[in-house]
Amino acid sequence: MTDVAAAFVWKLARRHSWGSPIPTAKLVQLVAGTADHDELRTTLETEVLELPFVAQSSDGVYIPNGQDAHREAANWLRERTERDDLVIAATLSRLPDDWPAND
């Protein structure tokens, strides 16, 4: 997984609103900055959408609003980014109180 994939996952976690999807074009725009949108879209399609805790609907991309998906996303972010556990836990609302101790 690339740093760009981690940026997508983090943006999905941060923009998470009770499991509401983010339209694909908007998600790419949020992550882009000065990066190439076509390359980002390829990363989204080939890496991020393949993650078991990321879902896509006709309305966009999202992390489902359930404890299992949030736990998987939190563990993934913990392994692949330098985000503090406290920040991850505060961002993903459905984590069990004892995360990460139970994982």
Side-chain angles (χ1 to χ4, degrees), residues 20-74:
S20 298
I22 301 172
T24 302
K26 178 68 173 173
L27 181 57
V28 169
Q29 182 184 20
L30 289 169
V31 171
T34 59
D36 182 276
H37 284 224
D38 291 333
E39 288 179 28
L40 290 173
R41 193 174 323 278
T42 298
T43 300
L44 177 62
E45 292 169 359
T46 61
E47 295 182 44
V48 178
L49 291 176
E50 298 298 317
L51 295 169
F53 56 84
V54 174
Q56 184 175 27
S57 71
S58 60
D59 294 328
V61 181
Y62 61 101
I63 297 172
N65 196 27
Q67 194 172 69
D68 290 342
H70 280 217
R71 182 184 291 118
E72 286 184 68

Side-chain angles (χ1 to χ4, degrees), residues 71-103:
R71 182 184 291 118
E72 286 184 68
N75 289 336
W76 190 93
L77 286 164
R78 190 171 193 236
E79 292 171 10
R80 288 170 181 81
T81 71
E82 303 216 359
R83 306 264 182 223
D84 185 77
D85 288 351
L86 185 61
V87 173
I88 293 171
T91 300
L92 291 161
S93 62
R94 298 289 182 207
L95 288 174
D97 291 337
D98 60 349
W99 182 88
N102 66 349
D103 287 305

